[in-house]
Amino acid sequence: MQTLPCAFENRLSGAVVCYYQDGIYEALIKEGVMLEKMALLKFQEWIETESYADHLGDMHVVRHQSLGRLHRQWLNSRDPQARRAASQKLCEQLGLLNNEQLGLLNKESDESVAFRDLAEAPLVSAALEGSKWMLEMLLDAAQDQFEVLQRDGGRALNCAATVGHLEFVKSLLEKLKEKGLLDKTLGDTSNHGTTCLILAAGAGHADVALHLAKMGGRPLAMQTDDDGRSCVFMAARHGHVEVLKTLLKEEHEWSAELLQKTDKFGNSCVYQAAMHGHEDVLHFLLNDLCKNDHQCKSHICGRPLLKLRSEGQKQSCAYVASKYGRKKALEIMLNCQTDEEQKELLHGCLSDEVSCAHIAAKEGRADTLRFIIEREGKLLTEKTKDGRTCAHFAAQSGSTEMLQFVIEREGKLLTEKTKDGRTCAHFAAQSGSTEMLQ
């Protein structure tokens, strides 16, 4: 039987040597472990003696002197080869690169490819730090900047956009532009098809989002992820009104179209703001953009989105606000509508005729239900296809406060039966509320 070679890395030379005898390999492993133990014991001795501080101070002085010398060589060198060598040494001294990582900046070897499975590329690490000088140094250390930027530029840009490092983003985009890689890299996506602009908008970095939108223009602004979510959609979802103010400007010819985009489920940015209760976002989309005018003369306006319904369950913005108890969000949406439009929004039902009042009662949103009934009292007695009223839904929620409110307004609803003969007592028993049954 053929003996497979055992790989052992020589820590001094950095070379990887193969041995065909298990005994030799075992001895080398034991020797390496012993050397590490000796180093740890020596370090422990330094800590326990008074000379430790002196040793540590000397080490810091030597390190700073070495870094200063390499930094000067890197900055002052005019020869490309000498500059690259100085930058590589400086990167190693700072712990930015080891032998495997250096392979990631140069032509990839088998070792560098294997290393990428265990750690992030140096350029991406620099993006997370947001260090411009680190970017310069890493690119100087590379033998082929085009190859490095083509391979790792997209991931680095996405990381910097997510964290919000504007100056790093600007520097990286300039490097990409110099190499003719700008358009390609701006279109690169991370997991689930997310672009750098979507990441910046979702994280709330308005300055980064604005710069990316200017550099990428319409193609980047209109790009969506795998679920059809745009940069405006994600900004509204996470409540970043400053990002929306940055992206939805009249000087952007794509702003009106971008505002109207929905995800693959038919949900709009207004729907997302209503669901999560982002009142400032709703006020901006429905009032500020529309010039606070009921006639809505602005071509960039979120009010038409109030009439859209999600696919599948057909939920409207008012419905989802009622469901999650977003009373203030619901008030903002209604106040920008005429009286007839308000009634239409509140009466807007699902396929089984469940209205905003019904869902508020079902979810136990007492304050929201009170607000809805104050605006449109008829909804209290309105029935669904199977004959349920707000009283049945209130009993189902298990909220005594909710049922008490409904009964005080319409006492006869307590004994009202559904089409299959169930009363409020049946729904209260189903919810397990003994207090309500009593």
Side-chain angles (χ1 to χ4, degrees):
M1 181 182 295
Q2 183 179 4
T3 304
L4 295 177
C6 299
F8 181 82
E9 181 181 355
N10 188 318
R11 296 295 179 88
L12 296 178
S13 66
V16 178
V17 186
C18 293
Y19 297 92
Y20 288 85
Q21 295 183 19
D22 291 344
I24 297 176
Y25 180 67
E26 181 181 358
L28 289 169
I29 291 294
K30 288 181 178 179
E31 181 182 348
V33 171
M34 184 62 68
L35 288 172
E36 290 183 0
K37 285 184 177 180
M38 291 172 62
L40 289 173
L41 288 173
K42 185 63 178 177
F43 189 69
Q44 183 67 28
E45 180 184 347
W46 279 8
I47 295 175
E48 293 175 352
T49 60
E50 295 180 358
S51 62
Y52 168 68
D54 297 333
H55 284 297
L56 187 60
D58 292 341
M59 291 168 63
H60 279 305
V61 170
V62 172
R63 174 176 169 77
H64 284 302
Q65 288 178 344
S66 175
L67 290 175
R69 178 177 55 80
L70 289 173
H71 192 256
R72 287 191 297 273
Q73 288 180 0
W74 173 55
L75 290 177
N76 298 328
S77 178
R78 295 292 178 266
D79 179 62
Q81 294 295 332
R83 185 178 175 87
R84 180 179 300 115
S87 62
Q88 289 179 354
K89 289 180 181 178
L90 186 56
C91 288
E92 292 175 20
Q93 287 287 326
L94 290 170
L96 302 178
L97 298 174
N98 54 30
N99 289 336
E100 291 89 348
Q101 286 171 308
L102 193 58
L104 294 177
L105 285 177
N106 302 313
K107 186 176 180 180
E108 289 196 10
S109 60
D110 292 338
E111 291 82 4
S112 68
V113 172
F115 183 82
R116 292 186 70 175
D117 295 333
L118 303 176
E120 191 53 88
L123 197 64
V124 177
S125 299
L128 292 171
E129 293 290 333
S131 176
K132 291 173 60 178
W133 67 266
M134 194 184 297
L135 170 65
E136 294 281 350
M137 191 164 51
L138 287 170
L139 291 179
D140 279 344
Q143 291 180 359
D144 189 341
Q145 292 188 9
F146 181 88
E147 181 182 350
V148 173
L149 290 170
Q150 184 180 42
R151 185 179 62 237
D152 301 324
R155 285 184 298 149
L157 181 59
N158 286 341
C159 288
T162 303
V163 181
H165 294 312
L166 176 61
E167 295 306 318
F168 185 94
V169 168
K170 288 181 177 180
S171 296
L172 180 56
L173 290 178
E174 286 300 319
K175 298 292 183 184
L176 292 166
K177 188 176 182 180
E178 291 174 6
K179 300 298 180 181
L181 293 170
L182 180 61
D183 292 339
K184 175 186 178 300
T185 306
L186 283 172
D188 283 351
T189 58
S190 60
N191 294 334
H192 310 296
T194 309
T195 66
C196 54
L197 179 54
I198 294 174
L199 291 169
H205 303 303
D207 51 355
V208 176
L210 176 60
H211 187 71
L212 289 171
K214 287 180 177 179
M215 296 296 288
R218 179 187 177 83
L220 180 61
M222 299 302 295
Q223 199 166 341
T224 61
D225 64 13
D226 294 344
D227 289 327
R229 299 175 297 186
S230 67
C231 53
V232 164
F233 182 100
M234 294 304 292
R237 179 178 185 176
H238 295 288
H240 300 309
V241 68
E242 294 302 322
V243 175
L244 294 172
K245 291 178 180 178
T246 295
L247 295 175
L248 298 176
K249 292 183 177 181
E250 292 194 8
E251 57 260 34
H252 302 323
E253 48 88 17
W254 35 261
S255 289
E257 183 180 352
L258 180 59
L259 178 62
Q260 303 299 321
K261 290 184 74 69
T262 61
D263 67 3
K264 68 178 184 181
F265 306 105
N267 299 325
S268 68
C269 55
V270 174
Y271 181 95
Q272 287 295 311
M275 174 188 290
H276 296 284
H278 298 311
E279 299 159 14
D280 53 347
V281 171
L282 284 172
H283 194 279
F284 172 72
L285 294 175
L286 302 176
N287 292 317
D288 295 346
L289 277 179
C290 302
K291 315 299 184 187
N292 288 304
D293 180 9
H294 280 291
Q295 299 301 317
C296 189
K297 297 178 181 178
S298 173
H299 72 288
I300 306 176
C301 181
R303 290 179 190 172
L305 297 174
L306 289 174
K307 298 181 180 180
L308 294 182
R309 294 173 178 270
S310 62
E311 296 180 5
Q313 294 186 332
K314 303 298 182 183
Q315 296 182 359
S316 67
C317 299
Y319 182 93
V320 76
S322 304
K323 179 178 180 179
Y324 290 100
R326 312 299 188 188
K327 174 188 169 184
K328 185 62 178 176
L330 183 60
E331 184 178 0
I332 293 172
M333 289 187 284
L334 293 177
N335 286 344
C336 71
Q337 301 286 286
T338 64
D339 291 342
E340 288 302 316
E341 288 172 334
Q342 289 183 33
K343 291 180 181 180
E344 184 181 346
L345 284 178
L346 291 175
H347 281 272
C349 301
L350 302 185
S351 56
D352 56 359
E353 297 184 359
V354 177
S355 69
C356 293
H358 292 143
I359 192 62
K362 181 181 179 181
E363 298 297 328
R365 313 296 184 184
D367 289 343
T368 305
L369 179 61
R370 287 192 183 94
F371 173 75
I372 293 173
I373 299 306
E374 287 173 2
R375 290 292 184 103
E376 185 60 17
K378 293 180 180 179
L379 288 172
L380 194 63
T381 56
E382 197 171 80
K383 294 183 179 181
T384 62
K385 277 187 176 180
D386 59 7
R388 286 179 293 174
T389 65
C390 286
H392 295 110
F393 283 111
Q396 184 180 351
S397 73
S399 171
T400 305
E401 177 192 2
M402 180 76 73
L403 184 60
Q404 187 68 33
F405 166 74
V406 175
I407 294 173
E408 287 176 356
R409 297 291 296 263
E410 291 287 342
K412 65 179 182 180
L413 293 178
L414 187 62
T415 56
E416 195 82 33
K417 293 183 179 181
T418 62
K419 288 185 177 180
D420 58 3
R422 289 181 295 172
T423 64
C424 291
H426 290 92
F427 287 98
Q430 182 181 343
S431 71
S433 176
T434 55
E435 180 185 357
M436 187 178 291
L437 283 171
Q438 292 173 356

